[in-house]
Amino acid sequence: MTRAATLERRWGARAWLLLVYAFLYIPILCLVVFSFTAGEITTQLDGLSLRWYVALLHDDELGAAVRLSLQVGALAATAAVVVGTAAAVVLARFRPGAGSGVFAAMATAPMVMPEVVVGLSLVLLFTHPMLQPVLGGRGVTAIWVAHTTLCAAYVSVLVQSRLREMDRALEEAALDLGCPPWKVFFVITVPVIAPALVAGWLLAFTLSMDDFVLAAMLSDPGSTTLPVLVFARLHHGLKPEINALATVIVVVVSIAVLVANRVMQRAQRRRRAAMHAALRG
Protein backbone atom coordinates (compact mmCIF):
# COMPACT_ATOMS: atom_id res chain seq x y z
CA MET A 1 0.00 0.00 0.00
CA THR A 2 1.36 3.40 -0.99
CA ARG A 3 1.97 6.21 1.47
CA ALA A 4 -0.79 8.29 -0.11
CA ALA A 5 -3.30 5.47 0.36
CA THR A 6 -2.22 5.05 3.97
CA LEU A 7 -2.68 8.76 4.68
CA GLU A 8 -6.04 8.71 2.94
CA ARG A 9 -7.25 5.82 5.11
CA ARG A 10 -5.94 7.51 8.24
CA TRP A 11 -7.71 10.79 7.48
CA GLY A 12 -10.85 8.88 6.54
CA ALA A 13 -10.82 7.08 9.89
CA ARG A 14 -10.28 10.37 11.74
CA ALA A 15 -13.12 12.03 9.84
CA TRP A 16 -15.45 9.13 10.65
CA LEU A 17 -14.43 9.25 14.32
CA LEU A 18 -15.05 13.01 14.40
CA LEU A 19 -18.49 12.49 12.83
CA VAL A 20 -19.41 9.88 15.44
CA TYR A 21 -18.28 12.12 18.32
CA ALA A 22 -20.19 15.06 16.83
CA PHE A 23 -23.33 12.92 16.59
CA LEU A 24 -22.98 11.89 20.23
CA TYR A 25 -21.91 15.12 21.88
CA ILE A 26 -23.45 18.00 19.91
CA PRO A 27 -26.91 17.36 21.46
CA ILE A 28 -25.33 17.42 24.94
CA LEU A 29 -23.52 20.65 24.06
CA CYS A 30 -26.79 22.18 22.88
CA LEU A 31 -28.44 21.14 26.14
CA VAL A 32 -25.68 22.87 28.12
CA VAL A 33 -26.00 26.05 26.05
CA PHE A 34 -29.81 26.16 26.36
CA SER A 35 -29.55 25.79 30.13
CA PHE A 36 -28.33 29.40 30.26
CA THR A 37 -31.34 30.83 28.42
CA ALA A 38 -33.33 33.63 29.99
CA GLY A 39 -36.57 32.58 28.28
CA GLU A 40 -39.18 29.93 28.98
CA ILE A 41 -38.53 27.69 25.97
CA THR A 42 -36.23 24.70 26.49
CA THR A 43 -34.82 24.67 22.96
CA GLN A 44 -34.35 28.39 22.39
CA LEU A 45 -31.60 30.72 23.62
CA ASP A 46 -33.23 34.06 24.58
CA GLY A 47 -30.30 35.79 26.18
CA LEU A 48 -27.90 34.51 28.81
CA SER A 49 -28.97 34.05 32.40
CA LEU A 50 -28.53 31.84 35.47
CA ARG A 51 -32.26 32.04 36.10
CA TRP A 52 -32.91 28.33 35.73
CA TYR A 53 -30.01 27.32 37.95
CA VAL A 54 -31.54 29.45 40.70
CA ALA A 55 -34.94 27.85 40.01
CA LEU A 56 -33.30 24.45 40.22
CA LEU A 57 -32.03 25.20 43.74
CA HIS A 58 -35.58 26.06 44.87
CA ASP A 59 -37.32 23.09 43.23
CA ASP A 60 -37.89 20.82 46.24
CA GLU A 61 -39.62 18.08 44.24
CA LEU A 62 -36.77 17.82 41.75
CA GLY A 63 -34.20 17.93 44.55
CA ALA A 64 -35.94 15.10 46.41
CA ALA A 65 -36.01 13.00 43.23
CA VAL A 66 -32.30 13.61 42.64
CA ARG A 67 -31.40 12.66 46.21
CA LEU A 68 -33.50 9.50 46.03
CA SER A 69 -31.94 8.48 42.70
CA LEU A 70 -28.45 9.04 44.12
CA GLN A 71 -29.21 7.00 47.22
CA VAL A 72 -30.79 4.13 45.31
CA GLY A 73 -28.00 4.23 42.73
CA ALA A 74 -25.23 4.08 45.33
CA LEU A 75 -26.91 1.27 47.30
CA ALA A 76 -27.78 -0.71 44.17
CA ALA A 77 -24.27 -0.32 42.74
CA THR A 78 -22.67 -1.47 46.00
CA ALA A 79 -24.98 -4.48 46.32
CA ALA A 80 -24.50 -5.31 42.63
CA VAL A 81 -20.71 -5.32 43.05
CA VAL A 82 -20.98 -7.74 45.98
CA VAL A 83 -23.46 -10.08 44.26
CA GLY A 84 -21.85 -9.82 40.82
CA THR A 85 -18.35 -10.43 42.18
CA ALA A 86 -19.54 -13.52 44.06
CA ALA A 87 -21.16 -14.88 40.91
CA ALA A 88 -18.05 -14.09 38.86
CA VAL A 89 -15.76 -15.89 41.32
CA VAL A 90 -17.95 -18.98 41.20
CA LEU A 91 -18.07 -18.98 37.40
CA ALA A 92 -14.37 -18.23 36.88
CA ARG A 93 -12.70 -20.18 39.69
CA PHE A 94 -14.71 -23.36 40.18
CA ARG A 95 -14.74 -26.27 37.80
CA PRO A 96 -17.75 -26.57 35.50
CA GLY A 97 -20.36 -28.87 37.00
CA ALA A 98 -23.76 -30.19 36.13
CA GLY A 99 -25.54 -26.91 36.88
CA SER A 100 -22.82 -24.46 35.93
CA GLY A 101 -24.39 -23.68 32.56
CA VAL A 102 -27.75 -22.97 34.16
CA PHE A 103 -26.12 -20.77 36.81
CA ALA A 104 -24.18 -18.82 34.17
CA ALA A 105 -27.36 -18.28 32.17
CA MET A 106 -29.27 -17.14 35.25
CA ALA A 107 -26.46 -14.77 36.26
CA THR A 108 -26.52 -12.97 32.91
CA ALA A 109 -30.24 -13.31 32.09
CA PRO A 110 -31.21 -9.79 33.33
CA MET A 111 -28.90 -8.31 30.67
CA VAL A 112 -30.95 -9.72 27.77
CA MET A 113 -34.37 -10.10 29.39
CA PRO A 114 -36.78 -7.19 28.71
CA GLU A 115 -37.04 -4.88 31.69
CA VAL A 116 -40.82 -5.03 31.45
CA VAL A 117 -40.68 -8.76 32.24
CA VAL A 118 -38.31 -8.24 35.17
CA GLY A 119 -40.42 -5.35 36.46
CA LEU A 120 -43.66 -7.29 36.15
CA SER A 121 -42.22 -10.27 38.02
CA LEU A 122 -41.01 -8.02 40.84
CA VAL A 123 -44.36 -6.22 40.98
CA LEU A 124 -46.08 -9.58 41.45
CA LEU A 125 -43.52 -10.49 44.12
CA PHE A 126 -43.74 -7.28 46.16
CA THR A 127 -47.55 -6.95 45.89
CA HIS A 128 -48.39 -10.57 46.66
CA PRO A 129 -50.86 -10.64 49.58
CA MET A 130 -48.70 -13.08 51.56
CA LEU A 131 -45.36 -11.33 50.90
CA GLN A 132 -46.38 -7.68 50.90
CA PRO A 133 -46.42 -7.36 54.73
CA VAL A 134 -42.88 -8.75 54.83
CA LEU A 135 -41.36 -7.04 51.77
CA GLY A 136 -43.21 -3.76 52.25
CA GLY A 137 -44.82 -3.55 48.82
CA ARG A 138 -43.76 -1.06 46.19
CA GLY A 139 -41.31 1.65 47.11
CA VAL A 140 -37.64 2.36 47.58
CA THR A 141 -36.78 -1.19 48.67
CA ALA A 142 -38.46 -2.68 45.62
CA ILE A 143 -36.62 -0.29 43.29
CA TRP A 144 -33.32 -1.10 45.00
CA VAL A 145 -33.86 -4.85 44.60
CA ALA A 146 -34.80 -4.40 40.94
CA HIS A 147 -31.75 -2.27 40.15
CA THR A 148 -29.46 -4.65 42.02
CA THR A 149 -30.84 -7.57 40.03
CA LEU A 150 -30.26 -5.75 36.76
CA CYS A 151 -26.81 -4.33 37.55
CA ALA A 152 -25.36 -7.48 39.13
CA ALA A 153 -25.41 -9.19 35.72
CA TYR A 154 -23.23 -6.47 34.16
CA VAL A 155 -20.83 -6.49 37.11
CA SER A 156 -20.56 -10.27 36.89
CA VAL A 157 -19.48 -10.11 33.25
CA LEU A 158 -16.88 -7.39 33.91
CA VAL A 159 -15.34 -9.07 36.95
CA GLN A 160 -15.42 -12.52 35.37
CA SER A 161 -13.43 -11.32 32.36
CA ARG A 162 -10.84 -9.75 34.67
CA LEU A 163 -10.58 -12.91 36.76
CA ARG A 164 -9.96 -15.04 33.67
CA GLU A 165 -7.08 -12.73 32.66
CA MET A 166 -5.51 -12.79 36.12
CA ASP A 167 -2.43 -14.95 36.69
CA ARG A 168 -3.61 -17.65 39.09
CA ALA A 169 0.00 -18.32 40.12
CA LEU A 170 -0.28 -15.38 42.52
CA GLU A 171 -3.18 -17.00 44.37
CA GLU A 172 -1.60 -20.46 44.29
CA ALA A 173 1.67 -19.14 45.69
CA ALA A 174 -0.15 -17.49 48.58
CA LEU A 175 -2.10 -20.69 49.27
CA ASP A 176 1.11 -22.74 49.22
CA LEU A 177 2.60 -20.41 51.81
CA GLY A 178 -0.30 -21.16 54.16
CA CYS A 179 -2.49 -18.12 53.53
CA PRO A 180 -6.22 -18.86 54.16
CA PRO A 181 -8.46 -18.71 51.05
CA TRP A 182 -10.49 -15.77 52.32
CA LYS A 183 -7.31 -13.78 52.98
CA VAL A 184 -5.97 -14.66 49.52
CA PHE A 185 -9.14 -13.27 48.01
CA PHE A 186 -9.08 -9.96 49.90
CA VAL A 187 -5.30 -9.41 49.89
CA ILE A 188 -4.34 -10.81 46.45
CA THR A 189 -7.41 -11.11 44.23
CA VAL A 190 -9.34 -7.96 45.13
CA PRO A 191 -6.43 -5.53 44.51
CA VAL A 192 -5.79 -7.14 41.10
CA ILE A 193 -9.43 -6.94 40.00
CA ALA A 194 -9.97 -3.52 41.62
CA PRO A 195 -10.23 -1.70 38.25
CA ALA A 196 -13.01 -4.08 37.21
CA LEU A 197 -14.77 -3.54 40.54
CA VAL A 198 -14.60 0.24 40.16
CA ALA A 199 -15.76 0.05 36.55
CA GLY A 200 -18.60 -2.27 37.56
CA TRP A 201 -19.68 0.08 40.35
CA LEU A 202 -19.69 3.09 38.03
CA LEU A 203 -21.59 1.18 35.35
CA ALA A 204 -24.14 -0.09 37.88
CA PHE A 205 -24.59 3.40 39.34
CA THR A 206 -25.17 4.83 35.87
CA LEU A 207 -27.67 2.12 34.96
CA SER A 208 -29.57 2.71 38.19
CA MET A 209 -29.65 6.47 37.71
CA ASP A 210 -30.81 6.04 34.12
CA ASP A 211 -33.46 3.35 34.65
CA PHE A 212 -37.07 4.32 34.04
CA VAL A 213 -39.04 1.13 33.36
CA LEU A 214 -38.30 -0.67 36.63
CA ALA A 215 -38.57 2.49 38.72
CA ALA A 216 -41.90 3.45 37.14
CA MET A 217 -43.39 0.00 37.72
CA LEU A 218 -42.18 -0.33 41.32
CA SER A 219 -42.45 3.23 42.63
CA ASP A 220 -45.17 4.58 44.89
CA PRO A 221 -46.13 8.23 45.52
CA GLY A 222 -43.30 8.60 48.03
CA SER A 223 -40.51 7.07 45.93
CA THR A 224 -40.32 8.97 42.67
CA THR A 225 -36.90 8.79 41.06
CA LEU A 226 -35.47 11.40 38.71
CA PRO A 227 -36.27 9.63 35.37
CA VAL A 228 -39.86 9.02 36.50
CA LEU A 229 -40.28 12.66 37.54
CA VAL A 230 -38.79 13.97 34.28
CA PHE A 231 -41.12 11.72 32.28
CA ALA A 232 -44.11 12.93 34.30
CA ARG A 233 -43.19 16.58 33.71
CA LEU A 234 -42.70 15.90 30.01
CA HIS A 235 -46.48 15.75 29.57
CA HIS A 236 -46.85 19.26 31.02
CA GLY A 237 -43.93 20.77 29.11
CA LEU A 238 -40.35 20.81 30.32
CA LYS A 239 -38.74 24.00 31.56
CA PRO A 240 -35.08 24.95 31.03
CA GLU A 241 -34.34 24.02 34.65
CA ILE A 242 -34.25 20.43 33.40
CA ASN A 243 -31.43 21.54 31.09
CA ALA A 244 -29.70 23.09 34.11
CA LEU A 245 -30.03 19.85 36.06
CA ALA A 246 -28.70 17.84 33.12
CA THR A 247 -25.74 20.22 32.81
CA VAL A 248 -24.89 19.78 36.50
CA ILE A 249 -25.07 15.99 36.09
CA VAL A 250 -22.84 16.09 33.00
CA VAL A 251 -20.22 18.18 34.80
CA VAL A 252 -20.24 16.03 37.94
CA VAL A 253 -20.10 12.76 35.99
CA SER A 254 -17.28 14.04 33.77
CA ILE A 255 -15.21 15.06 36.78
CA ALA A 256 -15.88 11.73 38.52
CA VAL A 257 -14.88 9.75 35.43
CA LEU A 258 -11.67 11.73 34.98
CA VAL A 259 -10.72 11.35 38.64
CA ALA A 260 -11.51 7.62 38.67
CA ASN A 261 -9.50 7.14 35.49
CA ARG A 262 -6.48 8.92 36.94
CA VAL A 263 -6.68 6.94 40.18
CA MET A 264 -6.93 3.61 38.34
CA GLN A 265 -4.03 4.52 36.04
CA ARG A 266 -1.81 5.41 39.01
CA ALA A 267 -2.76 2.22 40.82
CA GLN A 268 -2.01 0.19 37.71
CA ARG A 269 1.39 1.84 37.33
CA ARG A 270 2.22 1.14 40.97
CA ARG A 271 1.25 -2.53 40.59
CA ARG A 272 3.36 -2.88 37.46
CA ALA A 273 6.34 -1.23 39.18
CA ALA A 274 5.95 -3.56 42.17
CA MET A 275 5.77 -6.62 39.94
CA HIS A 276 8.87 -5.54 37.99
CA ALA A 277 10.73 -4.92 41.23
CA ALA A 278 9.72 -8.34 42.54
CA LEU A 279 10.86 -10.03 39.32
CA ARG A 280 14.23 -8.27 39.46
CA GLY A 281 14.66 -9.28 43.08
Side-chain angles (χ1 to χ4, degrees), residues 125-146:
L125 175 67
F126 279 89
T127 58
H128 193 278
M130 296 181 60
L131 298 176
Q132 186 173 359
V134 179
L135 300 178
R138 299 182 183 182
V140 178
T141 302
I143 297 173
W144 171 67
V145 171

PDB file of all heavy atoms in Angstrom, residues 125-146:
ATOM      1  N   LEU A 125     -44.163 -10.039  42.894  1.00  0.00           N
ATOM      2  CA  LEU A 125     -43.524 -10.492  44.123  1.00  0.00           C
ATOM      3  C   LEU A 125     -43.818  -9.550  45.284  1.00  0.00           C
ATOM      4  O   LEU A 125     -44.227  -9.984  46.371  1.00  0.00           O
ATOM      5  CB  LEU A 125     -42.012 -10.613  43.907  1.00  0.00           C
ATOM      6  CG  LEU A 125     -41.169 -10.959  45.143  1.00  0.00           C
ATOM      7  CD1 LEU A 125     -41.482 -12.364  45.633  1.00  0.00           C
ATOM      8  CD2 LEU A 125     -39.676 -10.810  44.830  1.00  0.00           C
ATOM      9  N   PHE A 126     -43.614  -8.248  45.067  1.00  0.00           N
ATOM     10  CA  PHE A 126     -43.743  -7.283  46.163  1.00  0.00           C
ATOM     11  C   PHE A 126     -45.191  -6.951  46.496  1.00  0.00           C
ATOM     12  O   PHE A 126     -45.453  -6.383  47.565  1.00  0.00           O
ATOM     13  CB  PHE A 126     -42.980  -6.002  45.819  1.00  0.00           C
ATOM     14  CG  PHE A 126     -41.509  -6.089  46.063  1.00  0.00           C
ATOM     15  CD1 PHE A 126     -40.652  -6.543  45.068  1.00  0.00           C
ATOM     16  CD2 PHE A 126     -40.965  -5.748  47.288  1.00  0.00           C
ATOM     17  CE1 PHE A 126     -39.291  -6.629  45.288  1.00  0.00           C
ATOM     18  CE2 PHE A 126     -39.606  -5.828  47.522  1.00  0.00           C
ATOM     19  CZ  PHE A 126     -38.768  -6.283  46.516  1.00  0.00           C
ATOM     20  N   THR A 127     -46.134  -7.238  45.606  1.00  0.00           N
ATOM     21  CA  THR A 127     -47.547  -6.950  45.885  1.00  0.00           C
ATOM     22  C   THR A 127     -48.352  -8.199  46.202  1.00  0.00           C
ATOM     23  O   THR A 127     -49.575  -8.129  46.318  1.00  0.00           O
ATOM     24  CB  THR A 127     -48.182  -6.227  44.682  1.00  0.00           C
ATOM     25  OG1 THR A 127     -48.062  -7.043  43.498  1.00  0.00           O
ATOM     26  CG2 THR A 127     -47.517  -4.884  44.441  1.00  0.00           C
ATOM     27  N   HIS A 128     -47.685  -9.340  46.316  1.00  0.00           N
ATOM     28  CA  HIS A 128     -48.393 -10.570  46.665  1.00  0.00           C
ATOM     29  C   HIS A 128     -48.974 -10.431  48.077  1.00  0.00           C
ATOM     30  O   HIS A 128     -48.294  -9.945  48.985  1.00  0.00           O
ATOM     31  CB  HIS A 128     -47.448 -11.768  46.597  1.00  0.00           C
ATOM     32  CG  HIS A 128     -48.147 -13.091  46.640  1.00  0.00           C
ATOM     33  ND1 HIS A 128     -48.554 -13.672  47.823  1.00  0.00           N
ATOM     34  CD2 HIS A 128     -48.534 -13.931  45.643  1.00  0.00           C
ATOM     35  CE1 HIS A 128     -49.141 -14.832  47.574  1.00  0.00           C
ATOM     36  NE2 HIS A 128     -49.142 -15.014  46.254  1.00  0.00           N
ATOM     37  N   PRO A 129     -50.237 -10.835  48.266  1.00  0.00           N
ATOM     38  CA  PRO A 129     -50.863 -10.644  49.584  1.00  0.00           C
ATOM     39  C   PRO A 129     -50.089 -11.280  50.728  1.00  0.00           C
ATOM     40  O   PRO A 129     -50.078 -10.743  51.852  1.00  0.00           O
ATOM     41  CB  PRO A 129     -52.234 -11.305  49.412  1.00  0.00           C
ATOM     42  CG  PRO A 129     -52.508 -11.240  47.954  1.00  0.00           C
ATOM     43  CD  PRO A 129     -51.168 -11.387  47.279  1.00  0.00           C
ATOM     44  N   MET A 130     -49.421 -12.408  50.489  1.00  0.00           N
ATOM     45  CA  MET A 130     -48.696 -13.076  51.565  1.00  0.00           C
ATOM     46  C   MET A 130     -47.326 -12.449  51.817  1.00  0.00           C
ATOM     47  O   MET A 130     -46.811 -12.508  52.941  1.00  0.00           O
ATOM     48  CB  MET A 130     -48.534 -14.563  51.230  1.00  0.00           C
ATOM     49  CG  MET A 130     -49.839 -15.337  51.145  1.00  0.00           C
ATOM     50  SD  MET A 130     -49.579 -17.089  50.778  1.00  0.00           S
ATOM     51  CE  MET A 130     -48.586 -17.593  52.180  1.00  0.00           C
ATOM     52  N   LEU A 131     -46.714 -11.868  50.765  1.00  0.00           N
ATOM     53  CA  LEU A 131     -45.356 -11.334  50.897  1.00  0.00           C
ATOM     54  C   LEU A 131     -45.317  -9.824  51.118  1.00  0.00           C
ATOM     55  O   LEU A 131     -44.306  -9.300  51.582  1.00  0.00           O
ATOM     56  CB  LEU A 131     -44.544 -11.683  49.645  1.00  0.00           C
ATOM     57  CG  LEU A 131     -44.333 -13.172  49.371  1.00  0.00           C
ATOM     58  CD1 LEU A 131     -43.599 -13.361  48.048  1.00  0.00           C
ATOM     59  CD2 LEU A 131     -43.566 -13.832  50.510  1.00  0.00           C
ATOM     60  N   GLN A 132     -46.381  -9.137  50.778  1.00  0.00           N
ATOM     61  CA  GLN A 132     -46.378  -7.684  50.901  1.00  0.00           C
ATOM     62  C   GLN A 132     -46.132  -7.194  52.330  1.00  0.00           C
ATOM     63  O   GLN A 132     -45.374  -6.239  52.536  1.00  0.00           O
ATOM     64  CB  GLN A 132     -47.690  -7.106  50.362  1.00  0.00           C
ATOM     65  CG  GLN A 132     -47.710  -5.580  50.330  1.00  0.00           C
ATOM     66  CD  GLN A 132     -48.945  -5.039  49.649  1.00  0.00           C
ATOM     67  OE1 GLN A 132     -49.792  -5.792  49.168  1.00  0.00           O
ATOM     68  NE2 GLN A 132     -49.076  -3.716  49.593  1.00  0.00           N
ATOM     69  N   PRO A 133     -46.733  -7.826  53.372  1.00  0.00           N
ATOM     70  CA  PRO A 133     -46.425  -7.359  54.730  1.00  0.00           C
ATOM     71  C   PRO A 133     -44.952  -7.523  55.111  1.00  0.00           C
ATOM     72  O   PRO A 133     -44.427  -6.750  55.917  1.00  0.00           O
ATOM     73  CB  PRO A 133     -47.327  -8.236  55.614  1.00  0.00           C
ATOM     74  CG  PRO A 133     -48.429  -8.670  54.725  1.00  0.00           C
ATOM     75  CD  PRO A 133     -47.794  -8.844  53.371  1.00  0.00           C
ATOM     76  N   VAL A 134     -44.287  -8.512  54.512  1.00  0.00           N
ATOM     77  CA  VAL A 134     -42.878  -8.752  54.834  1.00  0.00           C
ATOM     78  C   VAL A 134     -41.957  -7.871  53.997  1.00  0.00           C
ATOM     79  O   VAL A 134     -41.015  -7.252  54.515  1.00  0.00           O
ATOM     80  CB  VAL A 134     -42.519 -10.236  54.629  1.00  0.00           C
ATOM     81  CG1 VAL A 134     -41.050 -10.481  54.930  1.00  0.00           C
ATOM     82  CG2 VAL A 134     -43.409 -11.122  55.484  1.00  0.00           C
ATOM     83  N   LEU A 135     -42.222  -7.784  52.682  1.00  0.00           N
ATOM     84  CA  LEU A 135     -41.364  -7.036  51.768  1.00  0.00           C
ATOM     85  C   LEU A 135     -41.681  -5.550  51.743  1.00  0.00           C
ATOM     86  O   LEU A 135     -40.857  -4.756  51.296  1.00  0.00           O
ATOM     87  CB  LEU A 135     -41.485  -7.622  50.355  1.00  0.00           C
ATOM     88  CG  LEU A 135     -41.073  -9.095  50.205  1.00  0.00           C
ATOM     89  CD1 LEU A 135     -41.283  -9.560  48.770  1.00  0.00           C
ATOM     90  CD2 LEU A 135     -39.621  -9.298  50.623  1.00  0.00           C
ATOM     91  N   GLY A 136     -42.871  -5.174  52.190  1.00  0.00           N
ATOM     92  CA  GLY A 136     -43.208  -3.759  52.248  1.00  0.00           C
ATOM     93  C   GLY A 136     -43.883  -3.205  51.023  1.00  0.00           C
ATOM     94  O   GLY A 136     -44.156  -2.004  50.959  1.00  0.00           O
ATOM     95  N   GLY A 137     -44.142  -4.039  50.021  1.00  0.00           N
ATOM     96  CA  GLY A 137     -44.817  -3.547  48.820  1.00  0.00           C
ATOM     97  C   GLY A 137     -43.906  -2.690  47.951  1.00  0.00           C
ATOM     98  O   GLY A 137     -42.682  -2.705  48.077  1.00  0.00           O
ATOM     99  N   ARG A 138     -44.532  -1.945  47.056  1.00  0.00           N
ATOM    100  CA  ARG A 138     -43.755  -1.064  46.186  1.00  0.00           C
ATOM    101  C   ARG A 138     -43.112   0.053  46.991  1.00  0.00           C
ATOM    102  O   ARG A 138     -43.604   0.458  48.034  1.00  0.00           O
ATOM    103  CB  ARG A 138     -44.666  -0.461  45.122  1.00  0.00           C
ATOM    104  CG  ARG A 138     -45.333  -1.473  44.204  1.00  0.00           C
ATOM    105  CD  ARG A 138     -46.175  -0.773  43.160  1.00  0.00           C
ATOM    106  NE  ARG A 138     -46.874  -1.717  42.322  1.00  0.00           N
ATOM    107  CZ  ARG A 138     -47.662  -1.362  41.301  1.00  0.00           C
ATOM    108  NH1 ARG A 138     -47.829  -0.089  41.014  1.00  0.00           N
ATOM    109  NH2 ARG A 138     -48.269  -2.284  40.586  1.00  0.00           N
ATOM    110  N   GLY A 139     -42.002   0.558  46.442  1.00  0.00           N
ATOM    111  CA  GLY A 139     -41.312   1.646  47.114  1.00  0.00           C
ATOM    112  C   GLY A 139     -39.820   1.597  46.869  1.00  0.00           C
ATOM    113  O   GLY A 139     -39.348   0.987  45.906  1.00  0.00           O
ATOM    114  N   VAL A 140     -39.079   2.234  47.755  1.00  0.00           N
ATOM    115  CA  VAL A 140     -37.636   2.356  47.582  1.00  0.00           C
ATOM    116  C   VAL A 140     -36.961   0.990  47.635  1.00  0.00           C
ATOM    117  O   VAL A 140     -36.062   0.690  46.839  1.00  0.00           O
ATOM    118  CB  VAL A 140     -37.054   3.290  48.663  1.00  0.00           C
ATOM    119  CG1 VAL A 140     -35.538   3.374  48.527  1.00  0.00           C
ATOM    120  CG2 VAL A 140     -37.659   4.676  48.553  1.00  0.00           C
ATOM    121  N   THR A 141     -37.398   0.136  48.557  1.00  0.00           N
ATOM    122  CA  THR A 141     -36.785  -1.188  48.668  1.00  0.00           C
ATOM    123  C   THR A 141     -36.984  -2.004  47.404  1.00  0.00           C
ATOM    124  O   THR A 141     -36.060  -2.679  46.918  1.00  0.00           O
ATOM    125  CB  THR A 141     -37.370  -1.946  49.875  1.00  0.00           C
ATOM    126  OG1 THR A 141     -37.154  -1.182  51.069  1.00  0.00           O
ATOM    127  CG2 THR A 141     -36.714  -3.310  50.021  1.00  0.00           C
ATOM    128  N   ALA A 142     -38.177  -1.944  46.850  1.00  0.00           N
ATOM    129  CA  ALA A 142     -38.459  -2.682  45.616  1.00  0.00           C
ATOM    130  C   ALA A 142     -37.606  -2.177  44.464  1.00  0.00           C
ATOM    131  O   ALA A 142     -37.081  -2.966  43.663  1.00  0.00           O
ATOM    132  CB  ALA A 142     -39.942  -2.574  45.270  1.00  0.00           C
ATOM    133  N   ILE A 143     -37.453  -0.868  44.359  1.00  0.00           N
ATOM    134  CA  ILE A 143     -36.623  -0.294  43.292  1.00  0.00           C
ATOM    135  C   ILE A 143     -35.168  -0.711  43.481  1.00  0.00           C
ATOM    136  O   ILE A 143     -34.468  -1.050  42.528  1.00  0.00           O
ATOM    137  CB  ILE A 143     -36.760   1.239  43.277  1.00  0.00           C
ATOM    138  CG1 ILE A 143     -38.206   1.635  42.961  1.00  0.00           C
ATOM    139  CG2 ILE A 143     -35.815   1.855  42.246  1.00  0.00           C
ATOM    140  CD1 ILE A 143     -38.458   3.124  43.084  1.00  0.00           C
ATOM    141  N   TRP A 144     -34.706  -0.689  44.721  1.00  0.00           N
ATOM    142  CA  TRP A 144     -33.322  -1.099  45.005  1.00  0.00           C
ATOM    143  C   TRP A 144     -33.085  -2.557  44.618  1.00  0.00           C
ATOM    144  O   TRP A 144     -32.063  -2.887  44.005  1.00  0.00           O
ATOM    145  CB  TRP A 144     -33.028  -0.881  46.483  1.00  0.00           C
ATOM    146  CG  TRP A 144     -31.735  -1.466  46.932  1.00  0.00           C
ATOM    147  CD1 TRP A 144     -30.480  -1.064  46.567  1.00  0.00           C
ATOM    148  CD2 TRP A 144     -31.559  -2.584  47.809  1.00  0.00           C
ATOM    149  NE1 TRP A 144     -29.529  -1.861  47.171  1.00  0.00           N
ATOM    150  CE2 TRP A 144     -30.157  -2.791  47.940  1.00  0.00           C
ATOM    151  CE3 TRP A 144     -32.422  -3.407  48.508  1.00  0.00           C
ATOM    152  CZ2 TRP A 144     -29.637  -3.801  48.736  1.00  0.00           C
ATOM    153  CZ3 TRP A 144     -31.897  -4.414  49.307  1.00  0.00           C
ATOM    154  CH2 TRP A 144     -30.527  -4.606  49.410  1.00  0.00           C
ATOM    155  N   VAL A 145     -34.000  -3.437  44.964  1.00  0.00           N
ATOM    156  CA  VAL A 145     -33.858  -4.852  44.600  1.00  0.00           C
ATOM    157  C   VAL A 145     -33.857  -5.012  43.085  1.00  0.00           C
ATOM    158  O   VAL A 145     -33.049  -5.781  42.523  1.00  0.00           O
ATOM    159  CB  VAL A 145     -34.994  -5.681  45.240  1.00  0.00           C
ATOM    160  CG1 VAL A 145     -34.987  -7.103  44.698  1.00  0.00           C
ATOM    161  CG2 VAL A 145     -34.853  -5.696  46.749  1.00  0.00           C
ATOM    162  N   ALA A 146     -34.734  -4.300  42.401  1.00  0.00           N
ATOM    163  CA  ALA A 146     -34.800  -4.403  40.940  1.00  0.00           C
ATOM    164  C   ALA A 146     -33.511  -3.923  40.288  1.00  0.00           C
ATOM    165  O   ALA A 146     -32.975  -4.571  39.378  1.00  0.00           O
ATOM    166  CB  ALA A 146     -35.989  -3.598  40.419  1.00  0.00           C
TER     167      ALA A 146
END
